[in-house]
Amino acid sequence: MIKFLKKYKAFFIGLIITRVLALLLEYKGVIIIDDDEHLTNILGFLFYWFLISILIHKIAYLKEHIKTIIKVISLMLFLIVILVIDSNADMPDNPVTILLLMVFYLAIVYVIIPTFFKKYKVAILATYTLAYSVFLYFRLFSDSFELYRQQSKELFILFLLPIPIFASLWAYHQWKWFQNLKSEKSKAELAMLQAQMNPHFFFNTLNNLYALTIKNSDKAPEVILKLSDMMRYTIYEGKKDFVTIQEEIEYLNNYIELHKIRYNKEVDIQFNHDVDNDLKIKPLLFIILLENAFKHGVESWPKNNAYIHMNLAYTNDFIQFDIENNFDGTHNNDVGIGLENLKRRLQLLFGKNYTLLIHKTDNTYKVTLKIPPHA
């Protein structure tokens, strides 16, 4: 919200400038404001507020595009010519002057926000053609000028009324663009975070595979197959919005089996899962917790009774993943960027609709992660 307000601060500045100019011009007698014409005053104020704000909002763009500045200056000169013509014409509410003023205002909008104008040019031109046609009919074919004057204020509202409608439509497109920008930024950040996963694990596994092939070990083909499955899953399935929970379980099991091959010591690894295999979830969220359990738990534990206990269940409309491991408290057990990576991904994916609980003792580390499944 703050970023949005900063981006469109020009409209707050424009509001102040428009109000000050209105008071100044009224004080100098340049304009006369009828306090009884509330709708006309509001619509007129909105128009000039929007026009001035857009000019301020696009000031950086105008500075970079000299041709646009020339167009704006040319239009201002065009406006002066219109006012001179109108002052010399002995005809109140001259239809030619009104037409030229309408062209001037539409040209200003086209120069400042060309993309929006081009997208809605049919609606804009049709609206103002209709408004001008109605005005022209009453101006030229009324029974008397006095009768026309009685209706003139309502007629000019026809020109002002579309302004807040199109301004709101433009604001909506800006808001939508801003939301899409945030979404794309989040997707890019999420992709970057996923790309940071598991590099050291794959390198370690390749080193072990190299050692196995030198020894002509029978385990080498198994390692290649599991490593291939994991890399495929990380690269291809990891990019998907959702995967089945069965696929995620198989991925975790492959990870566990590859680690078992690495260790000479005995490790108690238990993975219980009682869930509907067809449940859909976001991919690659549990692996960081399992990776940390091996890296900072099993690898730091000097004895043969290292353990990792995991449980995956579906309760109260949430998928809950619990993982507990022991570790050597005399070693630094800082989980590093992996957990921070996970926290950031959870925020991007679920906002506040998730739970991540960490319970640590001198020699045990337990994490509970609750995430919603795909509806």
Side-chain angles (χ1 to χ4, degrees):
M1 186 62 180
I2 294 175
K3 290 181 179 179
F4 185 82
L5 293 176
K6 286 182 178 179
K7 180 175 177 62
Y8 297 103
K9 63 182 179 181
F11 289 87
F12 296 98
I13 299 172
L15 177 63
I16 296 171
I17 292 175
T18 307
R19 181 56 181 160
V20 171
L21 281 176
L23 291 173
L24 182 61
L25 293 174
E26 185 182 21
Y27 176 76
K28 293 293 185 179
V30 177
I31 60 173
I32 298 175
I33 298 177
D34 187 349
D35 293 334
D36 294 330
E37 296 297 329
H38 301 296
L39 182 59
T40 302
N41 294 338
I42 291 172
L43 292 175
F45 182 83
L46 287 175
F47 171 76
Y48 287 103
W49 173 32
F50 183 71
L51 182 62
I52 292 171
S53 299
I54 283 291
L55 285 170
I56 298 171
H57 181 66
K58 292 287 188 176
I59 191 67
Y61 173 84
L62 294 174
K63 287 179 180 179
E64 294 176 1
H65 297 79
I66 189 66
K67 290 183 179 179
T68 305
I69 296 177
I70 294 173
K71 289 178 183 178
V72 172
I73 295 173
S74 300
L75 287 172
M76 293 304 161
L77 294 174
F78 178 56
L79 177 61
I80 293 172
V81 172
I82 295 171
L83 296 176
V84 171
I85 293 174
D86 186 61
S87 63
N88 293 324
D90 188 20
M91 185 178 184
D93 295 346
N94 188 337
V96 175
T97 303
I98 299 299
L99 177 62
L100 293 175
L101 283 172
M102 187 178 72
V103 171
F104 165 75
Y105 288 129
L106 292 178
I108 282 285
V109 175
Y110 174 77
V111 168
I112 297 172
I113 46 177
T115 303
F116 177 82
F117 189 93
K118 290 176 182 177
K119 185 173 183 178
Y120 293 99
K121 63 181 179 182
V122 174
I124 294 172
L125 295 177
T127 299
Y128 280 97
T129 299
L130 177 62
Y132 183 74
S133 299
V134 173
F135 158 78
L136 194 63
Y137 173 81
F138 283 94
R139 179 66 184 87
L140 298 179
F141 300 104
S142 293
D143 292 338
S144 66
F145 182 74
E146 288 303 320
L147 181 61
Y148 160 75
R149 292 295 291 177
Q150 293 175 8
Q151 301 169 325
S152 62
K153 292 177 181 178
E154 287 77 7
L155 292 174
F156 281 105
I157 288 177
L158 291 175
F159 292 98
L160 297 175
L161 194 59
I163 294 168
I165 298 174
F166 285 117
S168 300
L169 185 61
W170 178 85
Y172 168 74
H173 277 274
Q174 291 297 299
W175 175 83
K176 190 175 180 181
W177 169 83
F178 185 74
Q179 294 300 116
N180 289 338
L181 183 65
K182 289 200 301 182
S183 176
E184 291 301 318
K185 181 181 177 183
S186 296
K187 288 180 180 178
E189 184 178 354
L190 188 60
M192 182 190 70
L193 291 171
Q194 290 187 183
Q196 294 174 355
M197 294 179 53
N198 285 327
H200 70 272
F201 163 74
F202 285 125
F203 284 126
N204 288 339
T205 304
L206 287 171
N207 287 333
N208 291 329
L209 178 59
Y210 174 72
L212 291 173
T213 54
I214 289 178
K215 297 177 182 178
N216 291 322
S217 172
D218 294 337
K219 294 182 178 180
E222 180 186 355
V223 171
I224 293 173
L225 183 60
K226 291 187 180 299
L227 183 60
S228 174
D229 287 342
M230 286 197 66
M231 293 183 73
R232 177 195 56 78
Y233 187 86
T234 302
I235 294 171
Y236 296 107
E237 305 303 315
K239 291 181 180 179
K240 293 182 179 179
D241 289 333
F242 297 96
V243 297
T244 65
I245 201 165
Q246 178 61 33
E247 291 175 304
E248 194 75 7
I249 290 171
E250 290 175 2
Y251 179 69
L252 295 175
N253 280 328
N254 280 339
Y255 186 90
I256 292 169
E257 293 303 317
L258 284 175
H259 265 289
K260 284 182 178 179
I261 296 171
R262 292 182 55 200
Y263 299 125
N264 294 321
K265 59 186 177 183
E266 183 179 342
V267 181
D268 176 23
I269 301 176
Q270 298 179 22
F271 184 16
N272 300 314
H273 40 86
D274 182 17
V275 289
D276 180 356
N277 291 334
D278 293 327
L279 276 175
K280 296 291 186 69
I281 61 170
K282 294 289 186 180
L284 303 174
L285 292 176
F286 306 135
I287 187 63
I288 291 178
L289 299 176
L290 179 56
E291 185 178 23
N292 282 340
F294 275 108
K295 183 179 179 181
H296 302 287
V298 173
E299 293 181 12
S300 72
W301 192 256
K303 307 172 187 176
N304 282 327
N305 58 344
Y307 73 86
I308 298 175
H309 294 167
M310 293 172 289
N311 187 67
L312 185 61
Y314 180 63
T315 56
N316 299 323
D317 298 325
F318 276 83
I319 295 172
Q320 179 171 326
F321 181 67
D322 297 291
I323 180 167
E324 180 180 342
N325 63 274
N326 54 358
F327 68 94
D328 185 356
T330 61
H331 288 71
N332 180 17
N333 196 46
D334 183 12
V335 294
I337 65 170
L339 192 58
E340 294 303 317
N341 179 311
L342 176 61
K343 289 178 180 178
R344 181 57 183 155
R345 289 178 63 209
L346 291 170
Q347 290 171 359
L348 290 171
L349 292 170
F350 306 115
K352 295 183 179 179
N353 192 30
Y354 75 93
T355 301
L356 182 65
L357 302 175
I358 299 174
H359 180 70
K360 182 179 177 182
T361 67
D362 291 339
N363 293 109
T364 61
Y365 196 88
K366 182 177 181 180
V367 180
T368 296
L369 173 60
K370 293 181 181 179
I371 59 172
H374 176 49

